[in-house]
């Protein structure tokens, strides 16, 4: 009998938890192998869903064995490019297979990052409750402390399920610490740049200095777009559901090029997740 996804998933978790610097001992894990040139590979017989699961996550598993940062973004969106209705309802655009995928990405990552708008709208937990695997550190990107009124009520500040970091500009550090305590504040000097433009490379560097090097930007549209524009994403997963929302909250939005020839045309692969299509975009491959 070939191996299945239930057998492969613990191996992917084990790979994700290995130290990310130095080489991997031969035969470290049965069922997979590591080669310096080609990264991780499956060994033996695996069924097609397991092969697809491995192929989908291989870039994440192979990435940055030099201890550098690797960032993946995701958006679950309708066919017409919305991540929520105009009132902010986003549960659930995608089907159960995509929800499982989302929780797998959390489990394979050191930190999950969301924008303040997502916390305000959804009150998410950002845990891995639909799969086995560790909860990531929860990072709330909130340069100007828009979430201050929610510190006493939001799940991420109060459920004790996983560490939470409230990431703000260093100018607001004292205010943030007074609200949430020093352990839960990551105050980044110069995060708010000229004209209010977020210097996200500084946020990424600050997370790296905390040992958080595999980062998952889960939403919403504004936040993922900002990471894209600052060229802070290595990869982007767009899970497109067969749904038309119309005048909803947009997914990716950024100043586009005038000419199609100058538009981003990333390398991509497409996977089926139930009734959704997952577009896996490689943003490090040049046009
Ligand atoms: N389908 C998906 O994959 C997915 C994933 C995550 C979230 N969502 C949905 O996306 C929506 C949120 O995404 P988003 O792109 O609007 O924002 P976001 O990326 O989560 O957060 C950034 C934006 O939120 C604004 N914001 C900050 N605090 C806020 C508050 N207290 N109330 C309202 N807005 C606040 C910020 O405004 P300033 O810059 O002015 O501070 C900023 O524009 C929600 O409806 C959520 O349900 C969908």
């Amino acid at each position: 009998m070939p191996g299945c996804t239930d057998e492969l998933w613990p191996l992917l978790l084990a790979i994700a938890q290995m130290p990310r610097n130095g080489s991997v001992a031969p035969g470290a894990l049965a069922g997979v192998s590591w080669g310096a040139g080609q990264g991780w590979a499956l060994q033996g017989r695996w069924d097609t869903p397991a092969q697809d699961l491995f192929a989908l996550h291989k870039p994440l598993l192979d990435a940055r064995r030099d201890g550098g940062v690797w960032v993946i973004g995701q958006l679950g969106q309708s066919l017409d490019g919305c991540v929520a209705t105009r009132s902010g309802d986003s549960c659930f655009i995608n089907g159960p297979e995509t929800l499982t995928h989302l929780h797998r990405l959390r489990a394979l990552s050191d930190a999950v990052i969301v924008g303040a708008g997502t916390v305000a709208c959804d009150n998410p937990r950002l845990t891995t409750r639909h799969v086995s695997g560790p909860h990531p550190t929860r990072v709330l990107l909130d340069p100007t402390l828009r979430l201050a009124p929610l510190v006493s009520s939001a799940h991420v500040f109060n459920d004790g399920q996983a560490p939470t970091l409230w990431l703000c500009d260093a100018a607001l550090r004292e205010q943030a610490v007074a609200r949430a305590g020093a352990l839960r504040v990551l105050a980044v000097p110069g995060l708010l740049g000229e004209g209010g433009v977020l210097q996200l490379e500084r946020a990424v560097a600050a997370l790296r200095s905390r040992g958080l090097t595999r980062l998952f930007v889960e939403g919403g549209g504004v936040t993922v777009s900002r990471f894209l524009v600052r060229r802070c994403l290595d990869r982007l997963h767009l899970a497109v559901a067969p749904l038309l929302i119309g005048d909803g909250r947009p997914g990716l939005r950024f100043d586009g090029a005038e000419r199609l020839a100058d538009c981003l045309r990333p390398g991509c692969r497409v996977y089926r997740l139930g009734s959704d299509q997952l577009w896996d975009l490689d943003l490090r491959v040049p046009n």
Side-chain angles (χ1 to χ4, degrees), residues 6 12 117 153-154 171 190 196 215 223 226 249 255 261 287:
D6 284 349
L12 301 190
S153 58
L215 308 179
T223 297
R226 286 173 174 166
R249 299 210 181 178
D255 274 347
N287 279 358

PDB file of all heavy atoms in Angstrom, residues 6 12 117 153-154 171 190 196 215 223 226 249 255 261 287:
ATOM      1  N   ASP A   6      -2.174  11.188   5.673  1.00  0.00           N
ATOM      2  CA  ASP A   6      -2.133  11.093   7.148  1.00  0.00           C
ATOM      3  C   ASP A   6      -0.768  10.602   7.622  1.00  0.00           C
ATOM      4  O   ASP A   6      -0.339  10.922   8.737  1.00  0.00           O
ATOM      5  CB  ASP A   6      -3.217  10.131   7.656  1.00  0.00           C
ATOM      6  CG  ASP A   6      -4.595  10.777   7.602  1.00  0.00           C
ATOM      7  OD1 ASP A   6      -4.662  12.003   7.377  1.00  0.00           O
ATOM      8  OD2 ASP A   6      -5.595  10.047   7.761  1.00  0.00           O
ATOM      9  N   LEU A  12       6.214  15.897   7.489  1.00  0.00           N
ATOM     10  CA  LEU A  12       6.385  17.313   7.114  1.00  0.00           C
ATOM     11  C   LEU A  12       6.575  18.164   8.376  1.00  0.00           C
ATOM     12  O   LEU A  12       7.407  19.081   8.403  1.00  0.00           O
ATOM     13  CB  LEU A  12       5.183  17.815   6.301  1.00  0.00           C
ATOM     14  CG  LEU A  12       4.875  17.065   4.996  1.00  0.00           C
ATOM     15  CD1 LEU A  12       3.830  17.827   4.191  1.00  0.00           C
ATOM     16  CD2 LEU A  12       6.118  16.840   4.154  1.00  0.00           C
ATOM     17  N   GLY A 117      -7.008  44.976  10.915  1.00  0.00           N
ATOM     18  CA  GLY A 117      -8.377  44.889  10.421  1.00  0.00           C
ATOM     19  C   GLY A 117      -8.937  43.484  10.573  1.00  0.00           C
ATOM     20  O   GLY A 117     -10.120  43.305  10.891  1.00  0.00           O
ATOM     21  N   SER A 153     -10.366  41.957  25.211  1.00  0.00           N
ATOM     22  CA  SER A 153     -11.400  41.007  24.766  1.00  0.00           C
ATOM     23  C   SER A 153     -10.979  40.069  23.635  1.00  0.00           C
ATOM     24  O   SER A 153     -11.525  38.964  23.520  1.00  0.00           O
ATOM     25  CB  SER A 153     -12.651  41.774  24.326  1.00  0.00           C
ATOM     26  OG  SER A 153     -12.308  42.677  23.278  1.00  0.00           O
ATOM     27  N   ALA A 154     -10.039  40.456  22.785  1.00  0.00           N
ATOM     28  CA  ALA A 154      -9.706  39.628  21.613  1.00  0.00           C
ATOM     29  C   ALA A 154      -9.095  38.290  22.044  1.00  0.00           C
ATOM     30  O   ALA A 154      -8.295  38.238  22.975  1.00  0.00           O
ATOM     31  CB  ALA A 154      -8.733  40.378  20.703  1.00  0.00           C
ATOM     32  N   ALA A 171       7.660  54.227  18.419  1.00  0.00           N
ATOM     33  CA  ALA A 171       7.198  55.466  19.058  1.00  0.00           C
ATOM     34  C   ALA A 171       6.031  55.195  20.008  1.00  0.00           C
ATOM     35  O   ALA A 171       5.773  55.992  20.918  1.00  0.00           O
ATOM     36  CB  ALA A 171       6.780  56.474  17.984  1.00  0.00           C
ATOM     37  N   GLY A 190      11.187  52.821  13.394  1.00  0.00           N
ATOM     38  CA  GLY A 190      11.048  53.171  11.977  1.00  0.00           C
ATOM     39  C   GLY A 190      10.068  52.311  11.212  1.00  0.00           C
ATOM     40  O   GLY A 190      10.113  52.279   9.982  1.00  0.00           O
ATOM     41  N   GLY A 196       3.605  57.475   6.183  1.00  0.00           N
ATOM     42  CA  GLY A 196       2.877  56.349   6.786  1.00  0.00           C
ATOM     43  C   GLY A 196       3.126  55.017   6.094  1.00  0.00           C
ATOM     44  O   GLY A 196       2.455  54.028   6.392  1.00  0.00           O
ATOM     45  N   LEU A 215       7.800  32.743   8.132  1.00  0.00           N
ATOM     46  CA  LEU A 215       6.692  33.642   8.451  1.00  0.00           C
ATOM     47  C   LEU A 215       5.526  33.424   7.490  1.00  0.00           C
ATOM     48  O   LEU A 215       5.734  33.316   6.275  1.00  0.00           O
ATOM     49  CB  LEU A 215       7.158  35.104   8.366  1.00  0.00           C
ATOM     50  CG  LEU A 215       8.421  35.445   9.166  1.00  0.00           C
ATOM     51  CD1 LEU A 215       8.785  36.920   8.958  1.00  0.00           C
ATOM     52  CD2 LEU A 215       8.244  35.136  10.648  1.00  0.00           C
ATOM     53  N   THR A 223      -2.934  43.872   4.203  1.00  0.00           N
ATOM     54  CA  THR A 223      -1.642  43.441   4.760  1.00  0.00           C
ATOM     55  C   THR A 223      -0.847  42.618   3.751  1.00  0.00           C
ATOM     56  O   THR A 223       0.354  42.852   3.550  1.00  0.00           O
ATOM     57  CB  THR A 223      -1.888  42.658   6.060  1.00  0.00           C
ATOM     58  OG1 THR A 223      -2.487  43.561   6.992  1.00  0.00           O
ATOM     59  CG2 THR A 223      -0.600  42.096   6.631  1.00  0.00           C
ATOM     60  N   ARG A 226       0.513  44.861   1.115  1.00  0.00           N
ATOM     61  CA  ARG A 226       1.672  45.647   1.570  1.00  0.00           C
ATOM     62  C   ARG A 226       2.948  44.810   1.556  1.00  0.00           C
ATOM     63  O   ARG A 226       4.008  45.288   1.161  1.00  0.00           O
ATOM     64  CB  ARG A 226       1.420  46.178   2.992  1.00  0.00           C
ATOM     65  CG  ARG A 226       0.420  47.339   3.021  1.00  0.00           C
ATOM     66  CD  ARG A 226       0.068  47.714   4.443  1.00  0.00           C
ATOM     67  NE  ARG A 226      -0.766  48.911   4.494  1.00  0.00           N
ATOM     68  CZ  ARG A 226      -1.440  49.317   5.557  1.00  0.00           C
ATOM     69  NH1 ARG A 226      -1.397  48.601   6.679  1.00  0.00           N
ATOM     70  NH2 ARG A 226      -2.155  50.414   5.535  1.00  0.00           N
ATOM     71  N   ARG A 249     -14.736  43.277   0.210  1.00  0.00           N
ATOM     72  CA  ARG A 249     -13.391  43.762   0.577  1.00  0.00           C
ATOM     73  C   ARG A 249     -12.374  43.128  -0.367  1.00  0.00           C
ATOM     74  O   ARG A 249     -12.363  41.901  -0.539  1.00  0.00           O
ATOM     75  CB  ARG A 249     -13.072  43.387   2.017  1.00  0.00           C
ATOM     76  CG  ARG A 249     -14.055  44.032   2.949  1.00  0.00           C
ATOM     77  CD  ARG A 249     -13.451  44.319   4.286  1.00  0.00           C
ATOM     78  NE  ARG A 249     -14.486  44.927   5.112  1.00  0.00           N
ATOM     79  CZ  ARG A 249     -14.333  45.280   6.355  1.00  0.00           C
ATOM     80  NH1 ARG A 249     -13.178  45.092   6.956  1.00  0.00           N
ATOM     81  NH2 ARG A 249     -15.320  45.830   7.036  1.00  0.00           N
ATOM     82  N   ASP A 255      -0.487  49.568  -6.740  1.00  0.00           N
ATOM     83  CA  ASP A 255      -0.314  50.386  -7.935  1.00  0.00           C
ATOM     84  C   ASP A 255       0.207  49.488  -9.048  1.00  0.00           C
ATOM     85  O   ASP A 255       1.331  48.993  -8.960  1.00  0.00           O
ATOM     86  CB  ASP A 255       0.725  51.494  -7.674  1.00  0.00           C
ATOM     87  CG  ASP A 255       0.048  52.698  -7.042  1.00  0.00           C
ATOM     88  OD1 ASP A 255      -1.195  52.745  -7.063  1.00  0.00           O
ATOM     89  OD2 ASP A 255       0.778  53.561  -6.523  1.00  0.00           O
ATOM     90  N   ALA A 261       3.157  44.262 -20.249  1.00  0.00           N
ATOM     91  CA  ALA A 261       4.514  43.692 -20.306  1.00  0.00           C
ATOM     92  C   ALA A 261       5.282  43.946 -19.011  1.00  0.00           C
ATOM     93  O   ALA A 261       6.234  43.224 -18.705  1.00  0.00           O
ATOM     94  CB  ALA A 261       5.268  44.295 -21.490  1.00  0.00           C
ATOM     95  N   ASN A 287      10.332  37.774 -13.761  1.00  0.00           N
ATOM     96  CA  ASN A 287       9.382  37.669 -14.883  1.00  0.00           C
ATOM     97  C   ASN A 287      10.036  36.952 -16.049  1.00  0.00           C
ATOM     98  O   ASN A 287      11.180  37.162 -16.348  1.00  0.00           O
ATOM     99  CB  ASN A 287       8.978  39.050 -15.367  1.00  0.00           C
ATOM    100  CG  ASN A 287       7.902  39.643 -14.474  1.00  0.00           C
ATOM    101  OD1 ASN A 287       7.460  38.982 -13.531  1.00  0.00           O
ATOM    102  ND2 ASN A 287       7.531  40.853 -14.763  1.00  0.00           N
TER     103      ASN A 287
END
